[in-house]
Amino acid sequence: MSDLKPTEEAEIEGKVVSKKLQKTKNDKMFLLFTLADKSQSIRAIDWYNAETNNNKIQIGDVIKVKGKIVYFENRLQINISNETNSVQKINIMNINPEKYLHFSNNDLSKLNAKLEHYIQTVEDEGIKSLLKQIFLANSKLRESFLFSPAAIEVHHAYPGGLLEHTLMVTELSLRLYDLYNEDNEICINKDIIIAGSLLHDIGKIEEYVITPRGIEKTEQGELIGHIHLGTKIVYEESKKISPKIKETDLNHIIHIILSHHGEIEYGSPVVPKTIESFIIGLSDNMDAKIAQVKDNIRNTLQINKDQSWSEYDKRLARKIKIEKY
């Protein structure tokens, strides 16, 4: 999509990320939808076969469209041509996943080594036993964790993204621990900080699945969500370990998973009620937000390296100024 130019006829392949069947003031139907790959998106409009094509395609489908590229409202748009095959669904077996999936720029083997290092630094044998069971002993959980994304598109939305995000949250939380642990009157449990950070998003290994079309939610992800899925994983794995983890520590880790979104309105069933859960929730939010800002800037510069401001970001509810040094 990145080399499209106005006034030319084109065939475009992309994933349907939004669609809406609408009417003009004169009751003429038209279909407005958006196609995207990992590089950029383009708006499409169908004036000829709106209802037929609305029934043909669903959000998440990868399709190929024919039409004319135009410039409308300061952005590229494709006007779908009046042909019966101007909109075609693509069989999932014929989709190139590299067109829709970002991949990590980091060396995953080094990240894995860092994960194992954090586990080894835990002093409490029960907590360490739980972490070893989930991240090392259970090969299915281990493989899923190493290659899972952290989201569909918000942040770290690529294979290995969950590992990257988890390690950054752990590092941020440990830095906050070092800063705030100087107060002798307040006790902060470092082992809980490490375990809670490493496990806060563990449910995402069951929430998301990677397909040739990109990252999608599983049925469990839609119905239950990663917070409750994470508590289930931790409870189940805690029954398999020796030495056993203390019940108070297990409950504390579960509380961190349940509360790490910070507020009820942001999806947490409970709000943070320990200093460790506050630290981890703030670290999680910080890494997610900074990753969104970086992605916003990166996506803007990919389209135009001379831009001084990013496009408006709906999730951040603002544009981002792009500094150049």
Side-chain angles (χ1 to χ4, degrees):
M1 280 191 206
S2 56
D3 57 352
L4 296 174
K5 297 179 179 59
T7 73
E8 69 178 10
E9 297 289 331
E11 284 192 1
I12 298 175
E13 177 190 310
K15 182 177 180 179
V16 181
V17 295
S18 69
K19 69 164 187 163
K20 190 172 184 180
L21 189 63
Q22 296 179 265
K23 277 186 181 181
T24 66
K25 293 178 180 178
N26 298 324
D27 285 338
K28 180 176 175 58
M29 301 295 294
F30 67 97
L31 179 62
L32 195 64
F33 57 103
T34 304
L35 297 177
D37 57 23
K38 70 180 182 183
S39 64
Q40 67 178 102
S41 63
I42 186 169
R43 180 171 51 192
I45 187 166
D46 184 357
W47 291 103
Y48 302 105
N49 302 289
E51 291 181 89
T52 300
N53 286 327
N54 181 57
N55 293 328
K56 182 189 291 186
I57 63 175
Q58 303 297 325
I59 292 175
D61 287 344
V62 174
I63 65 174
K64 182 178 287 185
V65 300
K66 296 179 184 178
K68 186 174 183 178
I69 305 298
V70 298
Y71 213 66
F72 182 72
E73 294 182 343
N74 297 319
R75 59 183 290 192
L76 289 176
Q77 174 177 297
I78 181 166
N79 294 341
I80 305 301
S81 62
N82 186 14
E83 299 177 29
T84 55
N85 64 344
S86 58
V87 175
Q88 300 178 63
K89 284 180 65 171
I90 296 178
N91 187 293
I92 192 169
M93 301 303 294
N94 297 325
I95 297 170
N96 177 8
E98 292 190 5
K99 186 176 174 70
Y100 300 98
L101 279 172
H102 290 278
F103 291 90
S104 173
N105 293 322
N106 290 302
D107 185 334
L108 293 182
S109 64
K110 290 182 179 179
L111 295 181
N112 181 46
K114 186 180 286 189
L115 169 67
E116 294 184 9
H117 166 74
Y118 282 135
I119 293 171
Q120 292 302 326
T121 61
V122 172
E123 295 182 359
D124 182 273
E125 290 302 321
I127 296 174
K128 181 183 284 188
S129 178
L130 176 66
L131 295 176
K132 284 185 173 181
Q133 171 63 27
I134 292 173
F135 293 109
L136 303 178
N138 188 320
S139 58
K140 183 178 178 182
L141 290 181
R142 174 183 173 80
E143 185 174 345
S144 295
F145 180 76
L146 294 180
F147 296 102
S148 284
I152 291 178
E153 56 183 0
V154 178
H155 68 93
H156 301 89
Y158 42 81
L162 179 58
L163 174 61
E164 282 186 20
H165 170 62
T166 297
L167 293 176
M168 182 58 76
V169 170
T170 306
E171 185 169 339
L172 288 169
S173 296
L174 286 172
R175 292 191 184 189
L176 291 174
Y177 166 82
D178 289 337
L179 285 171
Y180 290 102
N181 197 44
E182 295 177 355
D183 188 339
N184 293 327
E185 296 180 17
I186 307 296
C187 176
I188 306 176
N189 189 320
K190 186 176 182 181
D191 286 346
I192 291 291
I193 288 285
I194 295 171
S197 297
L198 292 179
L199 291 169
H200 80 281
D201 267 347
I202 190 66
K204 288 184 174 180
I205 67 175
E206 294 184 359
E207 183 174 37
Y208 300 119
V209 63
I210 297 174
T211 75
R213 295 179 297 197
I215 300 163
E216 300 176 356
K217 273 200 176 184
T218 63
E219 185 169 309
Q220 284 192 100
E222 290 286 3
L223 293 175
I224 301 171
H226 75 275
I227 289 178
H228 293 290
L229 290 171
T231 63
K232 176 178 72 72
I233 291 169
V234 172
Y235 272 130
E236 288 177 351
E237 297 305 304
S238 70
K239 297 173 184 176
K240 305 174 184 177
I241 62 174
S242 181
K244 293 292 185 184
I245 183 172
K246 294 191 288 288
E247 186 176 358
T248 53
D249 289 339
L250 179 62
N251 287 340
H252 198 166
I253 292 167
I254 294 295
H255 172 69
I256 288 168
I257 295 172
L258 292 173
S259 67
H260 77 269
H261 281 190
E263 303 292 341
I264 301 295
E265 57 264 38
Y266 298 144
S268 282
V270 294
V271 295
K273 295 180 181 179
T274 67
I275 193 166
E276 292 86 357
S277 60
F278 268 97
I279 287 173
I280 291 166
L282 292 169
S283 298
D284 174 55
N285 188 48
M286 181 187 301
D287 185 51
K289 287 291 192 298
I290 296 298
Q292 287 180 66
V293 171
K294 290 173 69 176
D295 283 345
N296 186 272
I297 293 172
R298 192 177 292 113
N299 292 339
T300 300
L301 294 178
Q302 191 173 26
I303 297 170
N304 184 347
K305 61 182 177 58
D306 297 320
Q307 287 279 56
S308 297
W309 286 88
S310 75
E311 293 293 317
Y312 181 83
D313 189 299
K314 291 185 293 184
R315 294 181 183 85
L316 296 171
R318 72 203 74 190
K319 294 181 175 181
I320 303 296
K321 186 169 180 8
I322 302 174
E323 299 289 353
K324 296 183 174 67
Y325 300 99

